[in-house]
Amino acid sequence: MSTPFHPIIYVRGYAMTAGERDDTAADPFCGFNLGSTVYRASVDRKAPPHKFIFESPLLRLISDFGYQEVYENGYDILAPEWQPREGQQGISARSVIIHRYYDDGSRLLGNGKPKEIEDYSRELSALILRVRDLVVAQEGIKPEDFKCYLVAHSMGGLVCRGLLQNRKLGTAAARQAVAKLFTYGTPHNGIDVAGINVPSWLGLNEINTFNRERIAEFLDMKAIYKKYGRVDFMPASALPIQNVFCMVGTNRNDYDAGAGLSRTFVGHGSDGLVKIENASLWGLDDRLQVTQSAATGYTYRAHSGVFGLVNSEEAYQNLVRFLFGDVRVDIWLKIDEVSLPKDLQGKDVEALYQFELAASPRGKRWQLTRRMAEEDSPACRTHRHLTDPKTKGARLVYLSTVFLANRARVNDQDPSLAYHMDLGVRVPDYEVNRRFWPNSHFEGAYLFRDQLVVKMVPPAQPGGVWSVAHGWASKGVGQATEATDYRALGQGLFELKVDFASSGQAPGIKGQVLLSASAWNV
């Protein structure tokens, strides 16, 4: 079996009503086959959308990577009547399988009553083992060498975590078979409405599934919840956090569920249903200490619908680069110094700094990640965070992770992989004695803004030397012409630093762009 092409098991999201479960049961691919022809180029919902045709994740996996669906003669692979196609013993490693966990809860194929989320995780375990057996039969590999990818939308990510994190909800063989987990808009830390986590007693239509205490229960992480008050953690014993990617939507305006009530009550800083701050994961070591963030990408897409996450080019590109890409780059900022306006120096000042990023690969019409103040998605730090010696750790700001792919190069003769980053730090709203300070304030202005181009040439052989260059748009034509030194961190990981600073006048900011890069899928 050719690495890294493993079976993809798609786990769809929450269906609230019997009608929604019926619609899900009636769809062979549970929404993974839906595309879109529009995207938002502006946060103004009244502005006309732009046309961009995205066929669907399923069709693109078929056309781009040779994947195939596995239904045969009207049966899915769990049906006793299912038989492999002529000339095959099972299914190809490049197969897409749908976890149809709502069939039994539909009125079309079941009793119309939903099950507990624990049942969906147990059924996922059984499905993985069935896929394993069929791939082993077809590819001639050992069962212990079988691997698969879990790709999940919304509540589907919690179903996957139930299998991975709760040993009672599946077999060790199924858990060990999971190589990577990719989630779209999953409420990893639950759902908050009007600033309050949905209550545990609200059992109607499984809504309490998104209560943090309930999540801690079915993920078997009550001790972790008690320690941190959050449930958005992936223990290393369940799955290495390096093998998890969280795709986060930031467009609440186009989520129309509940006649728009959801986006109204969930509020700003969300995809209309899931808060941005609740949609990613952090790793935990064996001592339950926080290690690092999962790879996270951000895009101006809603939780679902024609402007949704799953049916978007941006999310698809992050998906396939995470699964099949060649280079991983974690993007951080290290803040060394911030200075106040001269009139405020020496005073008790508070301010909120907003860090923006938009990253695009060379030659493409879309962005891999996008965090903007107008879209409620920047990374934030307070003035105290960046100046108090007791909070030095807050000066390191995680922005996002991007994956680069050799197959996506625009010039086959050029071995380099390049991407462009638009970096910005907004001028904060300064407060003195908890009152807004309007003097010299200009809304939307930047302390720092520039475009950085980074070009990397991976070594021809493992362990070889990388060639790295960068260039700031403000210092030239936006080409990566300046050779960049890097520091090897071991295990194929290296770190490069690029200094940045605002103009010499106060207020200002000074620091470094930190890029932690490594070969991926080696």
Side-chain angles (χ1 to χ4, degrees):
M1 185 167 56
S2 300
T3 302
F5 296 108
H6 304 305
I8 293 172
I9 298 177
Y10 178 66
V11 188
R12 70 147 287 147
Y14 175 59
M16 176 184 290
T17 66
E20 290 175 352
R21 292 191 294 275
D22 287 348
D23 290 341
T24 298
D27 183 344
F29 300 103
C30 296
F32 205 49
N33 53 324
L34 297 180
S36 179
T37 62
V38 292
Y39 77 96
R40 289 286 184 204
S42 167
V43 296
D44 182 6
R45 195 181 184 203
K46 296 180 181 179
H50 286 207
K51 184 176 182 179
F52 188 102
I53 297 174
F54 174 67
E55 301 90 330
S56 78
L58 177 66
L59 286 178
R60 289 288 292 277
L61 285 166
I62 292 171
S63 63
D64 293 350
F65 297 96
Y67 272 75
Q68 56 187 263
E69 47 85 15
V70 296
Y71 297 126
E72 188 65 23
N73 199 28
Y75 297 111
D76 66 34
I77 60 172
L78 294 177
E81 300 88 349
W82 183 90
Q83 293 291 326
R85 291 166 186 165
E86 185 176 355
Q88 295 186 351
Q89 302 300 313
I91 62 174
S92 165
R94 300 198 196 199
S95 295
V96 177
I97 302 95
I98 308 300
H99 181 21
R100 302 186 56 81
Y101 65 86
Y102 270 136
D103 279 7
D104 290 342
S106 72
R107 295 168 298 191
L108 297 176
L109 301 174
N111 60 13
K113 298 178 181 179
K115 300 178 182 179
E116 298 290 343
I117 192 170
E118 288 91 341
D119 295 317
Y120 304 148
S121 295
R122 292 188 188 97
E123 292 165 2
L124 175 60
S125 176
L127 178 60
I128 290 173
L129 296 183
R130 173 62 171 160
V131 173
R132 179 200 65 183
D133 292 346
L134 293 175
V135 171
V136 166
Q138 177 65 26
E139 303 286 355
I141 62 172
K142 297 178 180 179
E144 58 267 28
D145 292 333
F146 168 79
K147 295 294 179 183
C148 66
Y149 300 132
L150 299 183
V151 178
H153 176 231
S154 193
M155 190 184 81
L158 298 179
V159 173
C160 296
R161 289 179 62 195
L163 164 67
L164 294 169
Q165 294 183 230
N166 190 336
R167 295 177 182 271
K168 298 178 181 178
L169 302 184
T171 67
R175 284 189 291 274
Q176 291 166 5
V178 178
K180 296 176 185 176
L181 169 66
F182 182 99
T183 65
Y184 305 91
T186 289
H188 288 296
N189 193 47
I191 289 178
D192 296 332
V193 179
I196 301 173
N197 187 215
V198 294
S200 58
W201 50 262
L202 191 57
L204 179 66
N205 295 322
E206 307 170 279
I207 293 176
N208 63 351
T209 300
F210 308 109
N211 170 265
R212 280 187 269 280
E213 290 183 1
R214 176 75 177 101
I215 293 174
E217 177 186 3
F218 70 73
L219 294 184
D220 191 25
M221 56 184 300
K222 290 183 179 180
I224 296 171
Y225 177 56
K226 182 177 180 180
K227 180 176 183 177
Y228 292 104
R230 300 182 67 89
V231 290
D232 45 356
F233 297 106
M234 177 69 73
S237 58
L239 186 68
I241 197 65
Q242 295 89 344
N243 293 357
V244 179
F245 191 105
C246 300
M247 195 72 216
V248 180
T250 65
N251 175 6
R252 62 183 283 269
N253 292 326
D254 284 304
Y255 186 60
D256 292 329
L261 290 176
S262 173
R263 65 170 181 260
T264 300
F265 287 102
V266 173
H268 292 279
S270 75
D271 63 6
L273 181 63
V274 180
K275 284 283 193 182
I276 293 170
E277 63 188 26
N278 291 336
S280 57
L281 282 169
W282 289 82
L284 292 178
D285 63 19
D286 293 337
R287 297 175 299 167
L288 301 186
Q289 298 299 310
V290 178
T291 55
Q292 67 184 74
S293 170
T296 307
Y298 302 81
T299 183
Y300 191 63
R301 292 282 178 166
H303 189 74
S304 61
V306 296
F307 295 100
L309 274 169
V310 177
N311 48 327
S312 71
E313 183 75 36
E314 301 96 321
Y316 172 76
Q317 290 295 334
N318 279 282
L319 169 65
V320 297
R321 288 159 182 264
F322 170 64
L323 297 184
F324 316 129
D326 300 289
V327 175
R328 170 181 179 144
V329 183
D330 297 311
I331 306 170
W332 298 75
L333 293 183
K334 179 177 178 292
I335 309 304
D336 296 327
E337 179 183 324
V338 289
S339 59
L340 295 169
K342 292 182 179 180
D343 292 344
L344 296 182
Q345 293 177 7
K347 296 183 178 181
D348 185 14
V349 175
E350 190 52 284
L352 184 70
Y353 295 84
Q354 300 178 89
F355 300 90
E356 298 181 335
L357 167 72
S360 308
R362 178 170 51 193
K364 306 301 180 182
R365 291 180 56 199
W366 33 261
Q367 296 167 331
L368 282 172
T369 194
R370 177 182 176 87
R371 306 189 68 175
M372 293 291 155
E374 287 86 357
E375 299 163 12
D376 299 324
S377 58
C380 296
R381 293 291 189 274
T382 67
H383 187 71
R384 295 182 194 277
H385 280 147
L386 300 181
T387 56
D388 189 338
K390 297 179 181 179
T391 58
K392 285 187 177 181
R395 300 182 191 182
L396 195 60
V397 183
Y398 173 71
L399 293 180
S400 193
T401 298
V402 297
F403 291 84
L404 307 177
N406 284 321
R407 69 175 299 278
R409 289 181 299 174
V410 294
N411 181 356
D412 291 337
Q413 305 304 312
D414 184 353
S416 66
L417 297 170
Y419 63 100
H420 167 281
M421 292 185 291
D422 191 331
L423 289 163
V425 184
R426 291 292 186 107
V427 174
D429 294 343
Y430 297 106
E431 294 184 358
V432 180
N433 297 323
R434 298 186 178 181
R435 297 183 63 182
F436 173 62
W437 184 76
N439 297 15
S440 303
H441 175 80
F442 297 95
E443 185 66 27
Y446 285 85
L447 283 178
F448 172 85
R449 190 174 188 184
D450 207 341
Q451 292 79 43
L452 177 66
V453 177
V454 178
K455 182 170 68 173
M456 296 181 290
V457 180
Q461 299 294 331
V465 178
W466 290 69
S467 174
V468 185
H470 76 274
W472 288 106
S474 61
K475 297 181 179 179
V477 293
Q479 298 293 320
T481 57
E482 184 175 341
T484 308
D485 293 330
Y486 65 84
R487 180 168 64 98
L489 300 178
Q491 297 182 335
L493 180 68
F494 70 91
E495 180 182 77
L496 59 95
K497 301 179 180 179
V498 180
D499 294 330
F500 76 94
S502 53
S503 63
Q505 298 179 350
I509 190 166
K510 182 179 180 181
Q512 297 172 321
V513 181
L514 303 182
L515 304 175
S516 297
S518 61
W520 189 244
N521 286 318
V522 293

